[in-house]
């Protein structure tokens, strides 16, 4: 069993599983700003896009050709999930199934994204086969304080029972101040980030 799966199983045995784990999208799960990728999206069977610098120290996928793309936009621009994202979600979904057939009753997964194009994000998640992995969808522009207040209202879970992964320091600080274990990721979500977030509750910047 991989380290993520082992860690989740240990937390389960110790009664320390979080009740909800939330994820940002852009530059956390995938390597682009989805507002700049144009639908309709199509899944990639092979091939990828070459990275083009955005000027902000991050890469947006712009040209088809080359290894690694998971989907393509209307113009053939490749969109890539970070390498550890699939294994992390496989472990989470497997645990959900063990806990009660899925559905997130004991461990829920959520999206918290402030993209200005929620329709792009939703369509891309669908194309990647990930939309149904989340039991709670908060995809709209604005402060993530609003996102998490809605999550708490809808789930009736305490902030202290939640973990959140995001690539922007301001989001991590705002959400962490609410009591959520907020984890800053750099260059996409990795297994190491996930393990760091589940180690102990704190705001990790």
């Amino acid at each position: 069993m991989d380290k993520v799966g082992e860690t989740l199983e240990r937390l389960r045995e110790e009664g320390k599983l979080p009740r909800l784990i939330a994820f940002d999208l852009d530059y956390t799960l995938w390597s682009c700003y989805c507002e700049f990728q144009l639908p309709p999206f199509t899944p990639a069977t092979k091939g990828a896009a070459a990275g083009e610098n955005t000027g902000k120290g991050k890469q947006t996928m712009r040209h088809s050709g080359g290894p690694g793309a998971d989907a393509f936009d209307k113009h053939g621009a490749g969109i890539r999930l970070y390498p550890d994202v699939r294994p992390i979600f496989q472990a989470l979904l497997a645990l959900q199934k063990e806990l009660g057939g899925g559905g997130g009753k004991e461990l829920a997964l959520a999206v918290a994204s402030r993209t200005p194009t929620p329709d792009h994000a939703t369509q891309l998640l669908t194309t990647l086969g990930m939309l149904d992995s989340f039991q709670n969808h908060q995809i709209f522009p604005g402060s993530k304080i609003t996102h998490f207040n809605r999550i708490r209202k809808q789930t009736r879970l305490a902030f202290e029972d939640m973990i959140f992964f995001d690539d922007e320091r301001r989001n991590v600080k705002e959400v962490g101040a609410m009591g959520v274990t907020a984890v800053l990721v750099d260059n996409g979500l990795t297994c190491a980030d996930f393990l760091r977030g589940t180690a102990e509750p704190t705001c990790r910047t």
Side-chain angles (χ1 to χ4, degrees), residues 40-184:
F41 301 106
T42 56
T45 54
K46 62 180 179 179
E52 181 177 274
N53 201 288
T54 63
K56 296 183 179 180
K58 295 179 178 179
Q59 298 284 315
T60 183
M61 311 310 281
R62 286 297 180 195
H63 305 290
S64 60
D70 295 287
F72 294 99
D73 78 353
K74 177 179 179 180
H75 297 302
I79 301 159
R80 176 174 64 89
L81 287 172
Y82 288 104
D84 287 355
V85 169
R86 291 285 192 196
I88 289 170
F89 273 80
Q90 287 170 359
L92 287 168
L93 295 175
L95 179 58
Q96 280 188 330
K97 187 175 182 179
E98 288 181 24
L99 289 171
K105 292 183 178 180
E106 294 188 54
L107 171 62
L109 303 180
V111 176
S113 169
R114 60 184 190 88
T115 178
T117 54
D119 56 329
H120 290 203
T122 300
Q123 289 182 49
L124 185 50
L125 283 168
T126 300
T127 300
L128 293 167
M130 297 185 68
L131 185 65
D132 292 340
S133 298
F134 301 97
Q135 290 75 52
N136 195 288
H137 305 84
Q138 304 298 329
I139 307 175
F140 53 87
S143 170
K144 294 205 176 175
I145 292 174
T146 304
H147 293 66
F148 275 85
N149 278 328
R150 289 189 180 185
I151 290 173
R152 181 175 65 172
K153 183 177 181 179
Q154 292 172 11
T155 64
R156 298 184 180 181
L157 297 174
F159 291 135
E160 290 77 12
D161 291 329
M162 304 178 190
I163 299 176
F164 176 50
F165 297 92
D166 196 297
D167 69 303
E168 292 192 38
R169 189 175 298 275
R170 61 175 171 173
N171 295 332
V172 169
K173 286 188 174 181
E174 282 187 347
V175 175
M178 301 171 79
V180 177
T181 296
V183 184
L184 182 68

